[in-house]
Amino acid sequence: MPKKGKKLKLPVTDEEQLLLFQQKLLADEEAAKKKERLLTQFLKDKLAKEEHNSALNLHKINTQWRTVLREVKTKELHKDIEILSQTFERVVDCKDSVIKSLAKDLTEAEEQYAHALRSHLHNVDQLLTLQRRRLSLLEENYNMELEVLTKEFETERKSIIDHHEKEIHYLQDVFMAMEQNYLDSEYESKLEFQSMWDDLKNKNLEEKHFLRLQLENIVEDLWKRFQDALKNYTDATEDRKIAFETLKVKDEKSSKEIEVQMKKIQRLQEAISALKGKITAHSREGEWQNQCIRNDKELVHVQLRKLKVQRTQARTTSQENLVKLTLESNATLKALKKAVEKGEKILKLAEICRKFETEEEKVLPFYSSVLTPEEQEEADSQNPEDLTEDLAKIMMDYAGMENFWKRYNKVKLEVLSLQHRRLQLLDISSKLREMLKQYLDGISVSDEVLSHLNPLFIVNYRSNLPQLPPPAAQPAGDARPVYNVIEAAHIASRIL
């Protein structure tokens, strides 16, 4: 017997065990999540504190390091400022002296520039007058050629337009004649169609009347047979009389429908036959009309091709003339642009070269001929080339460039003379270098000097030059050269 104070433990089912197990798992997961949240929050706080401390320490280190760097940099800057102040004073003194010399040069250059500007303006005016004359001649020739081409183009254009208008009028007349023929043929075809339609209608009415008579006879025979059969049937089958009456009504209805359908079929057959006749008639007429139209079309196409060929030929000729005109105009424009660019380039080069001109060249820019009148006549008579009209024209075009070629030839001669003078000076400088080297070798002592003969080097009252025997000691047949030794210092003092 169980005790009264204690309760009995009931057995636990599987579902309750599962529920309890799931509740424990959920509670464990919540506890783990709480721990993870606390841990992450602690780590975040710690990380923020470390970052704050590191930033603060870095700021302190930077402030201390900056003070040290400022002190070092101030010392370096003080030294640099002292050096720069000294260099600046020296440079200012140099610049002042340069400015004074440049002011003097500037006054001289302004005077030279004013003189050069006057001569340059005079030359530019002459070049501009020559260029304007040449441009006016080219423009007159271009306008004359343009007028001739425009007149030819207008005459050709008028002739083409007149021919085109004549052809259009001819085609319009042909079209009107074709349209009139078509209207006449259409009227005749309508009359023929009306007559054929009347004939077909009369034939169809006769056939319809004949068929109606045949059908009435057939219906009467059938009606008689039907009456006989009806009597036999009524006699034999009185019980089915009511059904027969109903069938009779249906038969009447069907007969009426059959009549209606027969009428429709007859109408359709009539319409089909009429349409077939119309189609054959129209097909014949259409074939004949199409043949006529094809022939007319071929003629019109032939004429149209001829007109197109003529038009294309006229267009090609006009286009070729226009292309030639445009090409020539473009070529002239390009030639004029090149001439202008060449003139601008020459003027710029003249301005650059004027800076390097001497006072004599500025005063007398064009030298006079060195030849005497007799020599000039001999030079002209020795020219074997006979002057023609074309050559004379070309020479007249380039007569204005005579002063330019004078200056160019003068500069070319000066360049050649300077090159020759440069070669002479280089030869003289090489000789002086050799003499200076001999002198320096004579007064200096080195392995290279000792390895060669030196007249100034004496040891034990003896020179390293080979000693020549006295003249009496030399044999009669031995004729050796006699050397005259001169000091390099003496030669340098004489030459320099």
Side-chain angles (χ1 to χ4, degrees):
M1 292 293 291
K3 293 181 180 180
K4 293 180 180 179
K6 294 180 180 179
K7 293 182 180 178
L8 295 173
K9 292 181 179 180
L10 296 173
V12 181
T13 60
D14 295 332
E15 293 178 355
E16 291 177 353
Q17 288 178 358
L18 287 170
L19 290 170
L20 292 170
F21 186 69
Q22 288 177 357
Q23 288 176 359
K24 287 180 181 179
L25 288 173
L26 291 170
D28 294 334
E29 287 178 358
E30 288 179 357
K33 286 180 181 179
K34 285 181 181 179
K35 287 180 181 180
E36 287 178 357
R37 287 173 187 170
L38 291 171
L39 185 61
T40 53
Q41 187 66 34
F42 175 73
L43 290 172
K44 285 180 181 179
D45 295 336
K46 190 174 181 181
L47 182 63
K49 192 180 288 182
E50 289 293 330
E51 288 178 351
H52 179 70
N53 292 328
S54 63
L56 184 62
N57 293 325
L58 183 64
H59 183 67
K60 289 179 180 179
I61 290 164
N62 287 328
T63 52
Q64 292 177 1
W65 183 244
R66 283 171 185 166
T67 54
V68 173
L69 290 173
R70 283 195 193 96
E71 291 175 356
V72 174
K73 192 67 177 177
T74 50
K75 291 178 182 178
E76 291 178 356
L77 290 172
H78 283 301
K79 290 178 181 179
D80 293 335
I81 288 165
E82 290 175 357
I83 294 164
L84 289 171
S85 63
Q86 293 174 1
T87 54
F88 180 73
E89 289 175 356
R90 187 173 65 254
V91 169
V92 167
D93 295 332
C94 294
K95 294 290 181 183
D96 290 334
S97 62
V98 169
I99 287 164
K100 290 177 182 178
S101 62
L102 288 173
K104 292 179 181 178
D105 295 335
L106 185 62
T107 53
E108 294 176 357
E110 284 178 353
E111 293 175 357
Q112 294 175 1
Y113 175 73
H115 181 71
L117 183 63
R118 286 193 294 273
S119 63
H120 172 67
L121 292 173
H122 180 68
N123 295 326
V124 169
D125 291 333
Q126 289 180 353
L127 288 171
L128 287 172
T129 52
L130 291 171
Q131 187 67 19
R132 288 195 185 99
R133 289 174 187 172
R134 186 168 176 273
L135 288 172
S136 63
L137 291 171
L138 290 171
E139 189 174 2
E140 287 176 359
N141 293 324
Y142 174 74
N143 290 323
M144 289 170 66
E145 291 177 358
L146 183 64
E147 287 176 358
V148 172
L149 289 172
T150 50
K151 286 178 181 178
E152 291 177 357
F153 179 73
E154 288 294 332
T155 52
E156 290 179 358
R157 184 170 176 274
K158 286 179 181 178
S159 62
I160 291 164
I161 289 167
D162 294 334
H163 185 70
H164 180 66
E165 288 177 354
K166 289 178 182 179
E167 294 292 334
I168 286 169
H169 289 306
Y170 175 71
L171 291 172
Q172 286 177 356
D173 295 335
V174 171
F175 181 73
M176 291 292 289
M178 289 174 65
E179 190 174 3
Q180 189 65 35
N181 292 325
Y182 178 73
L183 291 171
D184 295 336
S185 61
E186 185 179 5
Y187 181 71
E188 290 175 358
S189 62
K190 282 182 179 179
L191 291 173
E192 290 177 358
F193 172 73
Q194 191 68 30
S195 62
M196 289 176 71
W197 185 70
D198 293 333
D199 294 335
L200 291 170
K201 187 175 181 182
N202 293 324
K203 286 179 183 179
N204 289 324
L205 290 171
E206 289 175 358
E207 288 177 0
K208 183 179 179 183
H209 186 66
F210 179 71
L211 289 170
R212 188 178 289 172
L213 292 172
Q214 285 182 356
L215 288 170
E216 285 178 357
N217 291 324
I218 292 165
V219 170
E220 286 178 358
D221 292 334
L222 289 171
W223 181 255
K224 287 178 183 179
R225 290 177 186 176
F226 181 70
Q227 290 293 328
D228 294 334
L230 182 60
K231 286 179 182 178
N232 295 324
Y233 182 72
T234 52
D235 294 334
T237 57
E238 291 179 356
D239 296 334
R240 295 180 181 179
K241 190 175 182 180
I242 297 167
F244 176 73
E245 288 178 356
T246 57
L247 290 171
K248 187 177 180 182
V249 173
K250 289 180 181 179
D251 189 15
E252 288 177 355
K253 289 180 181 179
S254 61
S255 64
K256 289 179 181 179
E257 290 177 358
I258 286 164
E259 287 178 359
V260 172
Q261 293 296 327
M262 287 295 288
K263 288 178 181 179
K264 288 182 180 179
I265 289 164
Q266 193 173 2
R267 289 174 187 171
L268 291 170
Q269 287 177 355
E270 291 174 357
I272 288 164
S273 61
L275 290 171
K276 283 180 180 179
K278 289 179 182 179
I279 288 164
T280 53
H282 283 297
S283 63
R284 290 173 186 172
E285 291 176 359
E287 287 177 357
W288 181 73
Q289 290 176 0
N290 287 329
Q291 189 66 33
C292 295
I293 290 165
R294 285 193 192 98
N295 295 326
D296 295 333
K297 186 179 178 182
E298 287 177 358
L299 292 172
V300 172
H301 274 297
V302 170
Q303 292 176 358
L304 185 63
R305 284 171 189 166
K306 290 180 181 178
L307 290 172
K308 283 183 179 178
V309 169
Q310 292 175 0
R311 188 187 66 183
T312 52
Q313 288 176 357
R315 187 179 290 173
T316 51
T317 53
S318 63
Q319 283 180 355
E320 287 175 358
N321 291 326
L322 186 62
V323 168
K324 287 179 182 177
L325 181 62
T326 52
L327 289 172
E328 289 176 358
S329 64
N330 289 326
T332 53
L333 288 172
K334 288 179 181 178
L336 291 172
K337 284 181 181 178
K338 287 181 181 178
V340 171
E341 289 176 357
K342 193 180 285 185
E344 291 177 354
K345 188 176 180 181
I346 289 165
L347 292 173
K348 288 179 182 177
L349 291 172
E351 289 178 359
I352 293 166
C353 294
R354 191 163 288 106
K355 295 178 182 179
F356 301 101
E357 288 180 353
T358 60
E359 292 181 356
E360 184 181 357
E361 289 176 347
K362 289 177 182 178
V363 175
L364 297 172
F366 306 111
Y367 68 90
S368 60
S369 180
V370 182
L371 298 174
T372 61
E374 295 175 355
E375 291 175 349
Q376 187 69 33
E377 290 177 357
E378 289 179 359
D380 294 334
S381 63
Q382 287 177 3
N383 191 4
E385 186 177 1
D386 295 329
L387 292 173
T388 59
E389 291 182 357
D390 297 332
L391 186 60
K393 289 179 181 178
I394 293 166
M395 289 176 71
M396 287 299 292
D397 290 335
Y398 290 97
M401 299 294 288
E402 187 176 356
N403 291 325
F404 172 75
W405 288 116
K406 282 182 180 180
R407 295 188 73 180
Y408 179 78
N409 293 327
K410 185 179 178 182
V411 171
K412 194 72 175 176
L413 290 170
E414 288 179 356
V415 169
L416 292 171
S417 66
L418 289 171
Q419 287 177 356
H420 184 66
R421 181 63 179 165
R422 182 173 178 275
L423 293 173
Q424 290 179 353
L425 291 173
L426 288 172
D427 192 9
I428 292 166
S429 66
S430 63
K431 289 179 181 178
L432 289 172
R433 284 176 186 276
E434 289 177 359
M435 294 170 70
L436 184 63
K437 186 174 182 300
Q438 289 177 2
Y439 175 73
L440 292 173
D441 291 338
I443 64 174
S444 63
V445 178
S446 63
D447 294 334
E448 185 179 359
V449 172
L450 293 174
S451 63
H452 296 88
L453 297 175
N454 192 349
L456 300 178
F457 186 70
I458 298 169
V459 179
N460 294 324
Y461 304 101
R462 290 183 181 181
S463 175
N464 62 352
L465 290 172
Q467 297 293 327
L468 296 173
Q474 291 181 355
D478 190 6
R480 293 182 181 178
V482 178
Y483 296 98
N484 294 320
V485 179
I486 300 170
E487 290 185 358
H490 179 70
I491 293 167
S493 63
R494 291 287 181 182
I495 292 170
L496 298 173

